[in-house]
Amino acid sequence: MAKSAKPNEAAMIAKSLTVREKVALFCAASDIDHAAVGILASVMQSLEIRGLISREHASRYALTDDGRAVLRALLPDL
């Protein structure tokens, strides 16, 4: 299992994400169907390869620890 991203690493990853990847990360965090908002499966697969999300069921995704750290970096005021 990958080591959890440090805050600086998470911020760097957050800055490197595309808008679609950011929306996909929010979808995984809030259990929203990514296809319903126009996010392609290839974007979800990209985030899964990067270790930010993991697949729980056939089409349901959840944030990994690194994914949570990146999401926190995207939302610093929360």
Side-chain angles (χ1 to χ4, degrees):
M1 182 173 198
K3 194 175 184 181
S4 186
K6 296 179 183 177
N8 290 341
E9 291 177 46
M12 288 174 46
I13 293 170
K15 286 181 182 180
S16 72
L17 294 178
T18 66
V19 172
R20 287 183 183 187
E21 290 171 330
K22 290 175 184 178
V23 172
L25 201 61
F26 286 111
C27 286
S30 56
D31 198 26
I32 294 173
D33 180 21
H34 64 277
V37 295
I39 301 298
L40 300 174
S42 61
V43 175
M44 301 303 284
Q45 183 181 21
S46 170
L47 290 176
E48 189 174 11
I49 289 169
R50 293 172 83 176
L52 301 179
I53 61 174
S54 63
R55 191 180 302 222
E56 288 188 343
H57 299 291
S59 63
R60 183 174 175 202
Y61 292 91
L63 293 177
T64 62
D65 290 340
D66 287 347
R68 280 187 206 87
V70 171
L71 188 62
R72 277 191 295 272
L74 288 170
L75 303 169
D77 294 335
L78 294 180

